Amino acid sequence: MATDPADPRNPTGPRTSPDPAVSPSAAGEAHAPTPRGAQPRPTGTGGVFASTPPHRTSASAAPASSTTSASSASDGPEPEAGPAGLAGPGPLPAPHPGPRDALTDVAGLRVGHAQWQDGRRLTGTTVVLAPDGGATAAVDVRGGGPGTRETDALDPRNLVPAVDAVVLTGGSAFGLDAASGVAGWLEEQGRGVRVGPHPWQVVPVVPAAALFDLGRGGDWKARPDASLGRAAVEAAAARQPGHLVPQGNVGAGSGAVAGGVKGGIGTASLVLPSGVTVAALVAVNASGSAFAPESGRLYASPDADEAVSPDPDLHAGAARRLAAAVEESAARVASLGAPPLNTTLVVVATDADLQRAQAQKLAGTAHDGLARALRPVHLLTDGDTVFALATAQRPPAPSSPGGPGDAAAALQVPVQALNGILAAGAEVVGRAVAKALLAARGVDGPGGVFPSYEDLYGDLYGTRRNGGVPADEPPTGDAPD
């Protein structure tokens, strides 16, 4: 039997379809949801970038910039300048990735994938499960062709104060049925908006968004349904807080493609000087490209401090191979009658206690990360959608340093703290897009030829497709059996 594609320990393998049937992202012991306010602190490291490979060109021979664990981020006498200028003054540490460099670094959030990748099916669903009690939620839709469910409920002017899960799914509008399976599971747990005096009188509000992957595996009728949504939420519920998040060809990223190259799931996080964590999970399925056509360099390069680009001869060969793949895919798609539609989906989250309007602002600024990492973006054939979640584990800012009469200081502290969270949201979204491309595996099937970025350029950034675990370190902690 083939290796489970959702297992973070899955080594690089042949470019073939993974196991058939519904395959949740990971197995794990069932447990009670984490209460809102709990702060599990997973151990491990979230770095994914290793030393400079010999076939890339660089401004220096230094290794690609590594992500840094929380325990070592404050080493040294002075804080380094963090991404997007987020480093604070004085002795505060620079922003650094969380322990897993993943959405699950936001305490209480768990992620489950389920997918169909057998025969002519290439689609799946990803569920982000909030802590017990739910999370403040918001949404910002900027693509011209969105497929969504219950996004109006997230408007700050409306009733719903929190949600228990968010669904990202393939299958276009048909795939939104996956959210029904998640809602049914939540009802069984007694989770949702209370509408009566009894504990079982709940209505789960499950916002969802779909990307277009119809026919990507060759079967136009292959699309997620309620059973796949249930499998994904059960996979999330079986995980321990702070777990590894499988990336690449899993869940909603199973049939994802970006600019002719295989897309997929990616995730990243930042811990700010205040201790607040901001993280994102993306399903990259864009009309635009994630890398520059003149050089092959990722727009959201994970080692942005280095001038890393593929060797010109390598890039020329990659461009020829991609052009041939796009031509062949067009021929196969024409025989299926499948139009080239897309959509990139995002969940950006923080453990800060945000108001609903502030969460909506976070969803909006997170789109900047898509604009940095994908070009063009937000087209009529994209349905680009960003959900924001805030789990209220900690205040967004420390107490004001001013006295009772220092109104200016009292105002500036929360404003600057929120600005840092907003900037971090865009940063982690861009980096998650890059990680999705680096984690993806190429697909050659009835629905098209979709080479991975690694197929075209090799191990340019010194990464391995192992769910965000460093290339030289085996998975630890809550890895699947």
Side-chain angles (χ1 to χ4, degrees), residues 381-414:
T381 51
D382 288 309
D384 302 329
T385 299
V386 176
F387 294 101
L389 297 175
T391 60
Q393 305 285 333
R394 59 173 67 239
S399 300
S400 170
D406 194 344
L411 174 64
Q412 286 301 313
V413 169

Side-chain angles (χ1 to χ4, degrees), residues 8 11 33 88 153 172 222 256 296 336 461 466 475:
S172 190
L336 293 171
Y461 292 96
N466 55 5

Side-chain angles (χ1 to χ4, degrees), residues 20-375:
V22 178
S23 52
S25 67
E29 295 183 2
H31 62 285
T34 304
R36 195 172 189 182
Q39 298 188 45
R41 303 299 297 173
T43 59
T45 178
V48 294
F49 307 117
S51 59
T52 304
H55 60 263
R56 76 180 188 184
T57 59
S58 173
S60 70
S65 59
S66 300
T67 56
T68 309
S69 68
S71 60
S72 62
S74 60
D75 292 344
E78 296 290 340
E80 298 177 359
L86 302 178
L92 294 175
H96 56 273
R100 297 298 193 192
D101 195 23
L103 188 73
T104 50
D105 288 329
V106 175
L109 293 184
R110 289 173 284 170
V111 176
H113 302 300
Q115 52 273 324
W116 287 325
Q117 298 182 1
D118 61 310
R120 296 169 63 86
R121 300 190 298 181
L122 191 62
T123 190
T125 298
T126 295
V127 172
V128 177
L129 186 61
D132 191 26
T136 300
V139 66
D140 191 298
V141 181
R142 298 196 185 180
T148 59
R149 162 179 162 148
E150 294 196 296
T151 50
D152 282 351
L154 305 185
D155 189 312
R157 298 169 297 179
N158 293 337
L159 176 66
V160 177
V163 303
D164 289 285
V166 171
V167 175
L168 311 181
T169 186
S172 190
F174 302 107
L176 293 173
D177 191 34
S180 297
V182 177
W185 182 88
L186 289 169
E187 182 187 21
E188 293 169 8
Q189 315 306 310
R191 297 184 62 173
V193 178
R194 187 67 62 84
V195 294
H198 303 291
W200 45 268
Q201 291 177 311
V202 296
V203 177
V205 176
V206 183
L211 56 81
F212 191 97
D213 60 4
L214 296 176
R216 290 272 165 81
D219 182 0
W220 179 264
K221 295 289 188 179
R223 69 280 303 254
D225 59 13
S227 68
L228 201 66
R230 173 176 282 269
V233 72
E234 288 176 346
R239 304 304 300 271
Q240 297 295 328
H243 66 84
L244 294 167
V245 177
Q247 299 175 81
N249 302 30
V250 292
S254 296
V257 175
V261 174
K262 186 67 182 74
I265 296 292
T267 187
S269 71
L270 276 178
V271 180
L272 304 185
S274 63
V276 167
T277 297
V278 182
L281 181 141
V282 302
V284 181
N285 185 61
S287 295
S289 175
F291 56 90
E294 69 277 7
S295 68
R297 186 173 188 269
L298 289 170
Y299 290 125
S301 174
D303 51 358
D305 293 335
E306 269 191 76
V308 177
S309 294
D311 177 85
D313 291 337
L314 175 65
H315 174 58
R320 289 191 295 270
R321 291 192 297 276
L322 179 57
V326 169
E327 182 178 359
E328 177 60 25
S329 293
R332 298 183 192 183
V333 166
S335 67
L336 293 171
L341 302 177
N342 299 88
T343 289
T344 295
L345 306 176
V346 179
V347 175
V348 61
T350 179
D351 57 3
D353 187 1
L354 300 186
Q355 300 171 10
R356 295 173 68 189
Q358 294 170 330
Q360 188 172 45
K361 184 66 173 177
L362 176 59
T365 55
H367 274 284
D368 294 347
L370 290 183
R372 295 171 191 168
L374 298 166
R375 301 178 191 177

